[in-house]
């Protein structure tokens, strides 16, 4: 591809900058202990399966954010045999999750390096209470110029409307001046590619690459990104 100096780098949050699996595990165990419910790893496995299904449904506009918050704990508490109201249970879980700003190894160094030449935004399908709290508590907050949270705007990646809002918040840069970096093929890569911007797939598990859409670049570790961006300049 032609040499390009991206003005904006749009980063996904969970699984790209934030170590969501670690934060989720910590928060789930904390909320179980808070309610004095016996906890084991099977609860985490079940929650991750239920949660992933509901977030996919949200991305496809089949459920709302409010429904997601409650329904995932309705299912999990039934599995755990616990008679607790899922709504209040969810609220306490979100408090614990928002206090877990765990980052993927190398994320701080990456953004510290990149923010000297690029403007950086976070684009996240997430809950405002959690995402804004985690960012404020994290060591990367000073490198982030914008954050777009799906719950706040009423759209989730990969919806075109989501990217419309992200571009508006960034001051409507030219599409060729923007690169999307994320780990989710469906929401990050397909959404950005369909919108007409370049994409960098963060693929630490080295999953097979789908045949479409075509992407601009692929990395298996965050440290691979700055050298490649340097070559684009």
């Amino acid at each position: 591809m032609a040499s390009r100096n991206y003005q904006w780098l749009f980063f996904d949050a969970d699984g790209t900058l934030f170590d969501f699996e670690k934060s989720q595990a910590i928060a789930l165990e904390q909320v179980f202990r808070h309610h004095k419910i016996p906890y084991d790893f099977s609860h985490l496995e079940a929650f991750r399966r239920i949660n992933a299904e509901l977030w996919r449904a949200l991305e496809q506009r089949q459920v709302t954010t409010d429904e997601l918050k409650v329904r995932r704990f309705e299912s999990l508490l039934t599995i755990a045999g616990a008679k607790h109201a899922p709504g209040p249970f969810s609220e306490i879980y979100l408090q614990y999750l928002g206090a877990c700003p765990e980052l993927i190894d190398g994320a701080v160094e990456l953004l510290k390096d990149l923010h000297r030449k690029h403007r950086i935004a976070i684009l996240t399908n997430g809950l405002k209470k959690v995402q804004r709290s985690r960012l404020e508590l994290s060591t990367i907050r000073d490198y982030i110029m914008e954050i777009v949270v799906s719950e706040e705007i009423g759209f989730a990646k990969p919806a075109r409307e989501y990217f419309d809002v992200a571009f508006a918040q960034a001051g409507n840069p030219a599409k060729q001046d923007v690169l999307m970096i994320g780990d989710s093929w469906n929401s990050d890569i397909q959404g950005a590619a369909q919108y007409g911007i370049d994409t960098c797939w963060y693929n630490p598990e080295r999953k097979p690459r789908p045949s479409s859409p075509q992407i601009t670049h692929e990395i298996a570790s965050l440290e691979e990104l700055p050298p490649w961006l340097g070559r684009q300049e």
Side-chain angles (χ1 to χ4, degrees):
M1 62 174 289
S3 179
R4 182 168 297 169
N5 182 8
Y6 298 107
Q7 294 181 16
W8 278 94
L9 303 179
F10 286 177
F11 279 91
D12 174 49
D14 295 323
T16 302
L17 295 175
F18 286 96
D19 189 338
F20 184 70
E21 289 196 354
K22 184 175 181 180
S23 297
Q24 185 184 66
I26 293 170
L28 192 66
E29 182 172 1
Q30 286 176 327
V31 71
F32 265 67
R33 297 193 184 284
H34 177 93
H35 287 91
K36 297 180 172 57
I37 303 171
Y39 175 83
D40 61 51
F41 186 70
S42 67
H43 296 127
L44 177 60
E45 290 181 317
F47 183 65
R48 284 179 171 163
R49 173 180 52 79
I50 295 164
N51 199 44
E53 291 173 356
L54 284 167
W55 277 105
R56 283 193 293 269
L58 180 76
E59 291 169 5
Q60 296 167 11
R61 307 186 188 186
Q62 296 172 349
V63 299
T64 67
T65 300
D66 287 341
E67 289 171 335
L68 179 148
K69 290 178 187 178
V70 175
R71 284 174 55 178
R72 59 186 179 177
F73 285 109
E74 284 179 343
S75 299
L76 182 63
L77 290 169
T78 297
I79 291 171
K83 296 180 179 179
H84 288 73
F89 195 93
S90 174
E91 287 301 311
I92 295 175
Y93 167 75
L94 295 178
Q95 291 175 19
Y96 283 126
L97 187 60
C100 291
E102 308 292 334
L103 294 167
I104 288 176
D105 290 343
V108 177
E109 294 79 7
L110 173 75
L111 297 189
K112 183 178 181 180
D113 181 9
L114 294 179
H115 96 287
R116 298 187 180 98
K117 294 183 178 180
H118 308 274
R119 298 176 180 180
I120 299 171
I122 287 180
L123 276 59
T124 173
N125 283 356
L127 306 177
K128 59 184 178 182
K129 176 184 292 186
V130 173
Q131 302 298 56
R132 290 196 175 275
S133 173
R134 292 163 73 212
L135 179 60
E136 184 60 29
L137 292 171
S138 78
T139 51
I140 64 172
R141 63 184 182 276
D142 293 337
Y143 308 129
I144 307 302
M145 296 188 67
E146 298 289 343
I147 178 171
V148 184
V149 184
S150 60
E151 185 184 24
E152 291 181 336
I153 67 172
F155 300 102
K157 296 176 289 182
R160 183 176 188 83
E161 296 92 337
Y162 183 99
F163 287 94
D164 284 339
V165 174
F167 267 70
Q169 286 192 202
N172 291 309
K175 289 184 178 180
Q176 64 264 28
D177 292 334
V178 178
L179 176 71
M180 178 77 213
I181 306 108
D183 68 305
S184 171
W185 186 267
N186 291 332
S187 62
D188 299 325
I189 303 306
Q190 285 192 324
Q194 290 169 1
Y195 197 74
I197 62 177
D198 285 354
T199 53
C200 179
W201 188 28
Y202 174 52
N203 183 20
E205 298 179 5
R206 300 182 186 275
K207 299 174 184 177
R209 186 190 301 181
S211 59
S212 64
Q214 291 190 348
I215 64 174
T216 312
H217 194 56
E218 179 179 339
I219 57 175
S221 67
L222 295 179
E223 64 185 13
E224 296 175 39
L225 186 58
W228 176 72
L229 287 172
R231 290 196 296 272
Q232 303 310 297
E233 300 169 0

